[in-house]
Amino acid sequence: MIRVRGGNYKKRALFLESGNFSYLSLNITKKTKIISVVYNSTNNELVRTNTLVKGCIIQIESTPFKDIFQKRFVLHTGKQDTNNDISVSENLNKKNVHSKLEKKKDETFSIAAQISTGRLLARICSRPGQTGRIDGYILEGIELEFYLKKIQK
């Protein structure tokens, strides 16, 4: 707690180990553990020191979302000596839902690959230094592809 102008108090997050993250396409929010900062567009020093700021890309644990993902989709991970096969098939048989899921098959596959590793990429939307908490969302689709390319560089 820091006293600021006007006699008000501000909660400053010096170190946080968990936050609330949303899976936007499924409209689900869960509290998950933060692993590390992976990418920050403003400064690489913030990545090296694991500083949490608004807009940075972080890795979070996938366990709270894994159960929900397996209820919606059947996640098969075949662990063999040579390769790991991940296939996603729909668990619901409705025509409308089936057509929507076919369109998002590639996005689902990339998120399934992340869930099988135990880590998801997320973006922070709140201001941890001002509010004292972290809120964010899981990256998916074009945004996920963009940040995966940035992280590999």
Side-chain angles (χ1 to χ4, degrees), residues 72-137:
R72 299 273 176 138
F73 310 100
V74 178
L75 181 66
H76 301 287
T77 56
K79 294 186 178 178
Q80 300 173 352
D81 293 342
T82 56
N83 61 356
N84 291 336
D85 297 329
I86 300 170
S87 63
V88 179
S89 63
E90 294 82 9
N91 199 13
L92 304 172
N93 292 327
K94 298 178 183 176
K95 289 182 181 179
N96 191 16
V97 173
H98 183 68
S99 64
K100 288 181 181 177
L101 291 176
E102 282 297 323
K103 293 177 184 176
K104 294 188 176 185
K105 191 104 173 162
D106 294 332
E107 293 177 16
T108 306
F109 182 76
S110 62
I111 292 176
Q114 286 186 41
I115 286 178
S116 66
T117 61
R119 297 177 178 197
L120 289 171
L121 289 178
R123 183 174 183 174
I124 297 176
C125 294
S126 64
R127 299 169 65 191
Q130 304 291 320
T131 60
R133 56 183 270 178
I134 291 183
D135 298 321
Y137 61 92

Side-chain angles (χ1 to χ4, degrees), residues 17 33-37 50 58-62 118-120:
E17 58 185 41
K33 186 178 176 186
I34 298 168
I35 298 172
S36 67
V37 176
N50 278 335
I58 59 174
Q59 283 185 338
I60 60 172
E61 283 188 351
S62 66
R119 297 177 178 197
L120 289 171

Side-chain angles (χ1 to χ4, degrees), residues 5-64:
R5 187 172 179 151
N8 297 323
Y9 287 93
K10 183 188 298 186
K11 292 180 183 176
R12 181 146 306 173
L14 299 176
F15 176 77
L16 291 174
E17 58 185 41
S18 64
N20 295 323
F21 294 95
S22 299
Y23 194 151
L24 297 177
S25 63
L26 298 179
N27 293 330
I28 298 168
T29 303
K30 295 286 182 182
K31 186 173 185 176
T32 61
K33 186 178 176 186
I34 298 168
I35 298 172
S36 67
V37 176
V38 178
Y39 177 75
N40 195 327
S41 61
T42 57
N43 193 354
N44 287 334
E45 182 73 15
L46 299 175
V47 176
R48 190 180 64 79
T49 59
N50 278 335
T51 305
L52 300 170
V53 295
K54 181 179 178 178
C56 70
I57 307 302
I58 59 174
Q59 283 185 338
I60 60 172
E61 283 188 351
S62 66
T63 50

